[in-house]
Amino acid sequence: MSSLKVYNSYTRQKETFNSITPGHVGMYVCGPTVSGESHLGHARPFITFDVIFRYLKHQGYKVRYVRNITDAGHFEEEGREAEDKIATKAQIEKLEPMELVTKYSNLFHWAMRQFNNLDPSIEPTATGHIVEQIEMIKTIIEAGYAYAVNGSVYFDVVKYAQHYPYGKLSGRIIDDLLETTRDLDGQDEKRAKQDFALWKAAPAEHIMRWQSPWGEGFPGWHIECSAMATKYLGGQFDIHGGGMDLMFPHHESEIAQSTICNHHVPARYWLHNNMITINGKKMGKSYNNVIKLTELFSGDHPLLEQAYHPMTVRFFILQTHYRSTLDFGNEALQAAQKGLRRLWDAYGHLQNLQHPGGGPSDKALDEKVLQTIALMEEHMNDDFNTAKTLADMFELVPVINSLREKRYAADALSGDTFIKLQLAFKTYLEDIFGLQSEQASAGADNDRLDAVLQLLIEIRKEAKTRKDFATSDKIRLQLQELGVMLKDEKDGSVGISYL
RNA sequence: GGUCCCGUGGCCGAGUGGUUAGGCAGAGCUCUGCAAAAGCUUCCACAGCAGUUCGAAUCUGCUCGGGACCUCCA
């Protein structure tokens, strides 16, 4: 059995994964800012790290997965309004900040359920950890790496860089930053342009504000993650995840803060997912090219040719390695939809098949199946290569379908191999990839409708028996228009699939 | 401007020295009352140029093109 290797952004190489405490993994992933609706781009890290969470558990680790909710809003440090993002929007929508936060938190959780993402072990909020953040800032000041000015506190990046490798994660060179940082508000308070805010004094119009040793204000952008990760995972933990766009300055700053407080780079392995692009450009608010998740699921967006099921989106994302960009397109989504359906149908058939005992009567096939199953784990161990693992599974689809349609002898595989095949599909599709049938997740069916459908199938069968194809075709075609596809199987049974 | 990344067949995408990736779409065949599904076969690649090598999509250099970060950002 191969061992798990992960690409560590911090060292820029693939490394064998070893957890700090044997059998346990601590993982922190930057969560959503709940000041607005999540879009397709946001879905990627949460699905990526959900699968990583699931895979680590599958490997037998006890995982504490911490994913924060940023509900204090990030201060738009250089923004002209000098207002908290959430506060700004709250004024527009005439809502209390916490009402807005609650609304979008709920919507976010709804989206996570649509994707069948497991709940994180702990989901701390920034507003719930103001005290911890203030304590951490105090520690940094005491250590001499931060200074207070006019009620704000800044981290002394220049001093830090003299003693620690600032910029290692994101490949920055501190002198370059000097030249490229823009000339903006609040800069005159800082000793150096590279310095970043730990605490900001709140201007009068700022709704969200807390009392601190430096006056009324709110936490800087990066401190919440450091404070909450430290609190729940300790001074050094195993995995820190997030989008590549967070490497600088967010994660770089986290490293600096935590290093001063805990004397360690906070995480051993830094994992970063790449962006979802649309027409080759990153999907993002500032590019004005976002597709919200609600729009994606409903199809209600000019760029969408149809609605896409959350499972289609999940599968679409998993068909690409998490560190590659993924380009959105209707054709690509539709391909994912069909591919998933084929894979899922085969899975369904596989679970219904019975092995007669004995075998393998086809030794070469048996061998190939065993090898392919082994490859699945090998590919997941290779930095969570879900794309390759899915390709492995597609290699097995013709085998399954051929067994089902009796092109292969029922005992072509040994009973042992057959069980392994069934188990591998269940484990990977459901437990690791977190896929589920579209009907199950839709939850639309009920027993009564099922019975009605069975009745129609029965009537159609009778019509076919007396060669009344007009009737049988009418039933099939009209059901198809309603999104129910009937498929006549060779053995006389009727398969149902939902479009 | 600085730092970094990428350019694979009609579309989406694996792959880092010698092997069919895979999915979807297209073509043909088998099966079928028809259809769908399924199975088999098949077409279409590695941006360009030069170099290293017995051998490169894979390494090196250059050219062209695209992108990310440097500011909120998944």
Side-chain angles (χ1 to χ4, degrees):
Chain A
M1 195 183 96
S2 62
S3 58
L4 176 61
K5 291 193 175 58
V6 302
Y7 182 86
N8 188 353
S9 304
Y10 192 71
T11 57
R12 300 182 187 216
Q13 59 187 15
K14 254 183 224 176
E15 297 174 354
T16 299
F17 178 79
N18 290 306
S19 65
I20 295 167
T21 307
H24 291 260
V25 172
M27 177 164 83
Y28 188 92
V29 174
C30 293
T33 300
V34 285
S35 60
E37 239 188 282
S38 297
H39 59 72
L40 175 58
H42 295 128
R44 168 107 101 142
F46 304 129
I47 289 171
T48 296
F49 287 101
D50 181 59
V51 170
I52 289 173
F53 179 40
R54 289 165 176 270
Y55 190 67
L56 290 169
K57 293 210 295 188
H58 165 72
Q59 295 275 293
Y61 289 106
K62 286 211 185 316
V63 186
R64 178 177 290 173
Y65 172 23
V66 180
R67 186 183 66 204
N68 65 296
I69 296 258
T70 298
D71 58 351
H74 287 143
F75 176 61
E76 291 178 345
E77 199 174 358
E78 273 83 25
R80 292 197 188 284
E81 302 87 358
E83 282 172 332
D84 185 293
K85 234 154 88 182
I86 288 174
T88 308
K89 195 146 189 206
Q91 286 168 343
I92 293 165
E93 298 195 3
K94 300 248 191 317
L95 287 171
E96 276 300 313
M98 285 315 286
E99 184 179 352
L100 197 64
V101 158
T102 304
K103 175 181 163 185
Y104 288 120
S105 290
N106 289 339
L107 200 56
F108 172 74
H109 287 134
W110 169 82
M112 293 301 101
R113 281 196 302 278
Q114 297 303 299
F115 284 129
N116 197 30
N117 282 341
L118 298 175
D119 290 332
S121 320
I122 300 176
E123 192 173 49
T125 61
T127 55
H129 296 76
I130 299 294
V131 172
E132 288 83 351
Q133 294 177 69
I134 289 174
E135 285 306 311
M136 198 161 191
I137 295 167
K138 280 157 99 174
T139 305
I140 297 170
I141 292 175
E142 282 161 21
Y145 283 89
Y147 52 92
V149 185
N150 300 333
S152 295
V153 182
Y154 296 98
F155 189 93
D156 191 338
V157 173
V158 175
K159 180 172 180 187
Y160 177 84
Q162 286 165 359
H163 302 277
Y164 302 95
Y166 182 79
K168 178 167 156 69
L169 175 71
S170 56
R172 300 296 132 151
I173 296 158
I174 189 155
D175 295 334
D176 293 343
L177 291 171
L178 235 177
E179 322 215 340
T180 55
T181 308
R182 294 189 295 170
D183 203 18
L184 294 154
D185 290 356
Q187 292 289 9
D188 50 340
E189 288 184 353
K190 297 183 189 174
R191 289 183 191 165
K193 287 184 174 178
Q194 303 94 322
D195 293 355
F196 58 87
L198 294 171
W199 186 265
K200 286 294 282 184
E205 69 273 21
H206 206 281
I207 298 174
M208 285 187 148
R209 50 172 65 222
W210 290 267
Q211 199 54 245
S212 82
W214 315 283
E216 276 199 9
F218 52 95
W221 178 26
H222 317 294
I223 195 73
E224 65 173 80
C225 287
S226 291
M228 296 190 286
T230 302
K231 175 161 184 174
Y232 297 113
L233 296 172
Q236 194 185 26
F237 51 94
D238 297 297
I239 295 173
H240 190 122
M244 276 184 185
D245 50 353
L246 294 180
M247 281 172 78
F248 189 90
H250 186 55
H251 291 159
E252 201 69 70
S253 302
E254 268 189 71
I255 288 173
Q257 294 164 344
S258 293
T259 298
I260 295 306
C261 291
N262 303 319
H263 318 292
H264 281 296
V265 174
R268 300 239 308 235
Y269 305 97
W270 291 79
L271 273 47
H272 291 96
N273 63 277
N274 215 318
M275 302 293 102
I276 287 184
T277 58
I278 183 159
N279 297 319
K281 281 217 168 50
K282 173 184 168 183
M283 186 178 287
K285 257 178 239 166
S286 37
Y287 296 93
N288 242 319
N289 61 358
V290 302
I291 299 174
K292 292 174 185 168
L293 293 176
T294 48
E295 294 168 338
L296 194 62
F297 299 159
S298 69
D300 185 20
H301 188 283
L303 286 170
L304 296 174
E305 289 171 9
Q306 61 168 87
Y308 296 101
H309 193 278
M311 284 305 120
T312 299
V313 179
R314 189 176 178 100
F315 182 77
F316 173 66
I317 286 171
L318 295 181
Q319 263 194 309
T320 307
H321 185 83
Y322 73 94
R323 280 191 297 109
S324 300
T325 55
L326 169 57
D327 202 43
F328 164 88
N330 280 283
E331 236 182 310
L333 258 312
Q334 283 157 18
Q337 182 179 49
K338 287 183 184 166
L340 171 59
R341 215 160 260 170
R342 192 159 97 88
L343 190 58
W344 200 266
D345 282 349
Y347 169 50
H349 296 140
L350 176 63
Q351 302 311 311
N352 291 329
L353 281 172
Q354 302 284 334
H355 193 275
S361 61
D362 188 339
K363 230 163 173 239
L365 183 72
D366 192 83
E367 187 60 29
K368 184 199 154 197
V369 169
L370 285 176
Q371 275 174 5
T372 308
I373 292 171
L375 277 178
M376 289 164 61
E377 178 162 18
E378 205 166 296
H379 288 148
M380 278 303 282
N381 276 340
D382 184 12
D383 196 27
F384 312 104
N385 197 328
T386 55
K388 266 196 151 184
T389 305
L390 282 170
D392 295 332
M393 300 188 81
F394 273 107
E395 297 277 1
L396 293 168
V397 165
V399 176
I400 293 167
N401 286 327
S402 294
L403 280 172
R404 166 171 170 266
E405 298 189 355
K406 304 196 181 354
R407 272 185 295 272
Y408 290 155
D411 66 351
L413 305 177
S414 73
D416 191 46
T417 302
F418 181 79
I419 298 288
K420 276 184 180 152
L421 181 60
Q422 281 187 320
L423 188 65
F425 263 68
K426 181 169 172 44
T427 302
Y428 275 81
L429 288 179
E430 296 201 34
D431 300 344
I432 295 173
F433 293 148
L435 295 164
Q436 54 187 193
S437 80
E438 296 180 27
Q439 299 102 280
S441 54
D445 288 353
N446 62 48
D447 293 348
R448 196 174 291 180
L449 261 182
D450 255 11
V452 172
L453 190 57
Q454 287 305 323
L455 177 65
L456 281 168
I457 288 170
E458 191 57 38
I459 291 170
R460 178 164 170 274
K461 203 175 198 171
E462 289 166 12
K464 275 179 64 178
T465 312
R466 54 173 194 274
K467 306 232 186 262
D468 177 6
F469 296 123
T471 302
S472 71
D473 286 354
K474 180 176 181 180
I475 290 173
R476 187 176 65 204
L477 288 171
Q478 297 214 347
L479 279 177
Q480 195 173 329
E481 276 173 33
L482 294 170
V484 181
M485 173 84 82
L486 299 185
K487 291 181 278 196
D488 294 328
E489 307 293 356
K490 287 220 167 63
D491 58 7
S493 69
V494 178
I496 304 167
S497 66
Y498 299 87
L499 303 175

